Amino acid sequence: MLNYDAEAERYDATRGGVPRAEAAARAVLRLVPDRARTLLDVGCGTGLVTERLARPGLRVLGVDASAGMASVAAGRVGPSVVLGDSRRLPVATGSVDAVCAVWLLHLLPDAAEVVAECARVLRPGGVFITTVDKDLAHGVDSDIDALLAPHLIPDAYDEAAAVVGWAAGHGLRPGAETSFTGHGQGRSPALTVEKIRAGYFASALEFSPRQAQGVIEGLGALPGQHTPRPDPVYRLLTLGKDA
């Protein structure tokens, strides 16, 4: 996994920046009930999405396990951002109306524990909103996808059926869902090579050093080395807590 403390200052520039964050925030807010008065953004990162979740009558809180990320987020959002582990949230049981986790579960082998914690802090009738199947979203039937496909890890940590199953064990039921475009996230061959070498795909791809070199060579032979392929479209689920 990446060193998010070290990545904090440059993270947004490598992840689609403001257009991607605005699309994510709009999608989350479509799923937050009008009656909600508190929203906790778990794994808030740099706060680029978090600060865009504000709306009249809604108090937005953020938590992240990376001190570097949380520091950047606090600069944007203020003291409502705290440092904390998503598996042991520093939030009282049954104290918030909505929880969101955007681009988080796919990184965590123990994602089931995060779902349990999000359920714990929700009030009865509250909602948990999360991205699922993130790595599948990057499959846009491109020439890059064809090279990566044999090395995809089959059981993603944020696989939708698994998330729904974990949630059900904590009284959360599937509800509305939506999607949004990951602006600026379309992969080019050259950028994909850089990310493989930097270890960005540790949760999505599995290959030996020799296989990785073969993929890198294949990517280097593709046309349009710096031309991004289509942007991914991410899926957001709502899981509501029994009243």
Side-chain angles (χ1 to χ4, degrees), residues 14 38 64-65 98 113-114 120 138 160 180 184 196 201 209-210 213 235:
T14 65
T38 47
D64 201 275
E113 295 181 36
V114 179
R120 177 185 68 79
H138 286 272
F180 64 95
I196 288 174
F201 298 125
R210 182 176 179 180
Q213 185 56 38
R235 182 182 177 195

Side-chain angles (χ1 to χ4, degrees), residues 2-45:
L2 291 179
N3 181 333
Y4 286 96
D5 288 340
E7 287 282 315
E9 294 299 331
R10 64 185 294 270
Y11 187 84
D12 295 332
T14 65
R15 295 299 194 287
V18 169
R20 179 179 183 243
E22 288 181 339
R26 285 195 300 268
V28 169
L29 287 173
R30 285 198 294 271
L31 300 176
V32 175
D34 291 341
R35 66 180 181 277
R37 292 295 173 262
T38 47
L39 169 62
L40 174 65
D41 187 10
V42 178
C44 68

Side-chain angles (χ1 to χ4, degrees), residues 164-189:
V164 170
W166 300 328
H170 300 283
L172 302 183
R173 312 299 174 193
E177 63 179 85
T178 191
S179 61
F180 64 95
T181 300
H183 297 290
Q185 290 291 285
R187 294 170 174 165
S188 70

Side-chain angles (χ1 to χ4, degrees), residues 101-107 111 130-140 152-164 166 177-180 187 203-204 232-237:
V102 180
W103 306 306
L104 175 66
L105 298 184
H106 72 286
L107 297 170
T130 183
T131 45
V132 292
D133 298 324
K134 179 182 182 292
D135 293 322
L136 284 181
H138 286 272
V140 293
L152 288 173
I153 295 174
D155 298 315
Y157 304 144
D158 68 339
E159 195 272 325
V163 173
V164 170
W166 300 328
E177 63 179 85
T178 191
S179 61
F180 64 95
R187 294 170 174 165
S203 65
V233 176
Y234 298 116
R235 182 182 177 195
L236 269 177
L237 290 186

Side-chain angles (χ1 to χ4, degrees), residues 196-219:
I196 288 174
R197 286 176 169 156
Y200 276 62
F201 298 125
S203 65
L205 302 174
E206 186 174 50
F207 33 45
S208 67
R210 182 176 179 180
Q211 290 171 326
Q213 185 56 38
V215 171
I216 287 171
E217 290 173 0
L219 290 166

